[in-house]
Amino acid sequence: MRDDRSFIELKARQRAHALLDDGSYRELLDPFEGITSPWLGAQGIVPQADDGMVVAKGTINGQPAVVVAIEGAFQGGSMGEVSGAKMAAALELAAEDNRNGIPTQAVLCLETGGVRLQEANLGLAAIADIHAAIVDLRRYTPVVGIVAGTVGCFGGMSIAAALCSYLIVTREARLGLNGPQVIEQEAGIDEYDSRDRPFIWSMTGGEIRYESGLVDALVGDGVNAVKKAMNDALAKGVPAKHRTDNYDDYLTRLSHFDTRKQADTEQIHALFAREVK
């Protein structure tokens, strides 16, 4: 059945529903469990009952699967102690299923600014657990990441995105280690103007990331397009070599990059020329 809704406009729970087979959705630690961060209330921030992290089990094309979706509208999709633990545990359980002969697929909808500053150390520890869980799980099954928009994927979770077996983005997506506001704050507006949207997307947008070979599929915003790319990625199986296994090559390229010049799209194309698809 065709689904022409905008994937970007869907909330995290709707995204997980859309990616799983009809009628197979079963949520773990849903809002009625009341799992909230213990650190937000003291700062006058109203917690969300699921801490902005949706973990759903079901099937994709009839095969067991887990979909983890971050709610970008809550605290900018930031990762804290509870939300990070939910994602890490879901991935760890999927790996355990695979070791026990239950081939469980994994899809991550990444809509996140990175670690939640109110829970910095705890959030960082949780993100480290997520990284380890992805590396463990991707030995058995592809871990597919989807960055749709509008928050993008930044901070420690951009490393999680890089660790995925396959990464899918839309043109509206953004992917980078540091967010535009962080770079502007640290380096100054002359270096990086966070309000210059064409510049921002030319540097970290989905299209340039795809053309640079840092992601595997650039798709339209419709649910059907995202699902097709997800299914294609899962059908490929575990890559013979993951992108992160090429770290020596990336480090060599970066070591020759002239940081005295303001980076632009042309330089990015040149830097990753061998990866252009």
Side-chain angles (χ1 to χ4, degrees):
M1 182 178 68
R2 289 193 59 81
D3 189 340
D4 295 321
R5 291 176 296 169
S6 162
F7 193 80
I8 292 175
E9 293 179 0
L10 298 181
K11 297 293 187 181
R13 194 162 280 103
Q14 293 173 310
R15 291 181 180 185
H17 266 291
L19 295 176
L20 290 167
D21 293 339
D22 289 344
S24 72
Y25 182 101
R26 177 171 64 89
E27 190 166 336
L28 307 182
L29 295 180
D30 64 32
F32 292 101
E33 300 283 349
I35 304 296
T36 61
S37 167
W39 308 105
L40 300 181
Q43 299 175 68
I45 299 171
V46 178
Q48 185 164 302
D50 55 15
D51 208 44
M53 183 68 66
V54 175
V55 177
K57 292 200 74 175
T59 59
I60 295 175
N61 297 321
Q63 298 299 313
V66 59
V67 175
V68 185
I70 303 171
E71 180 51 71
F74 179 66
Q75 292 285 291
S78 56
M79 306 291 292
E81 177 187 19
V82 172
S83 57
K86 287 176 69 175
M87 177 179 278
L91 295 168
E92 290 164 1
L93 288 172
E96 196 63 28
D97 279 348
N98 278 277
R99 282 190 280 271
N100 290 329
I102 306 170
T104 303
Q105 307 165 103
V107 179
L108 309 180
C109 295
L110 303 171
E111 188 87 2
T112 171
V115 70
R116 189 177 296 167
L117 295 182
Q118 301 94 334
E119 306 180 37
N121 291 338
L122 296 169
L124 288 170
I127 289 176
D129 287 341
I130 290 168
H131 294 169
I134 292 173
V135 172
D136 181 25
L137 178 58
R138 72 182 190 179
R139 296 182 297 163
Y140 307 105
T141 186
V143 178
V144 178
I146 301 172
V147 184
T150 56
V151 172
C153 183
F154 295 100
M157 290 307 290
S158 70
I159 301 175
L163 290 170
C164 289
S165 310
Y166 304 102
L167 198 55
I168 300 163
V169 299
T170 68
R171 289 173 60 90
E172 291 79 6
R174 291 176 298 154
L175 176 64
L177 186 58
N178 287 320
Q181 290 86 355
V182 175
I183 299 175
E184 180 185 305
Q185 176 180 309
E186 297 300 319
I189 195 169
D190 290 338
E191 174 71 20
Y192 211 87
D193 184 353
S194 64
R195 294 167 297 180
D196 187 344
R197 294 173 63 85
F199 172 72
I200 298 303
W201 261 262
S202 76
M203 297 289 291
T204 61
E207 187 170 12
I208 186 63
R209 292 310 194 195
Y210 172 72
E211 292 174 353
S212 300
L214 299 175
V215 302
D216 303 282
L218 175 69
V219 301
D221 175 32
V223 169
N224 284 323
V226 173
K227 287 188 70 172
K228 181 181 185 306
M230 176 193 72
N231 288 329
D232 289 346
L234 291 171
K236 291 178 182 177
V238 177
K241 188 174 186 179
H242 282 89
R243 186 180 294 105
T244 50
D245 294 329
N246 298 321
Y247 58 87
D248 280 338
D249 180 42
Y250 289 121
L251 286 172
T252 299
R253 298 188 205 188
L254 290 170
S255 68
H256 291 92
F257 185 76
D258 188 353
T259 58
R260 294 171 298 179
K261 299 178 182 178
Q262 171 64 61
D264 57 27
T265 304
E266 184 177 345
Q267 287 177 291
I268 293 173
H269 276 298
L271 182 65
F272 296 106
R274 285 175 291 168
E275 294 291 325
V276 172
K277 299 182 180 182

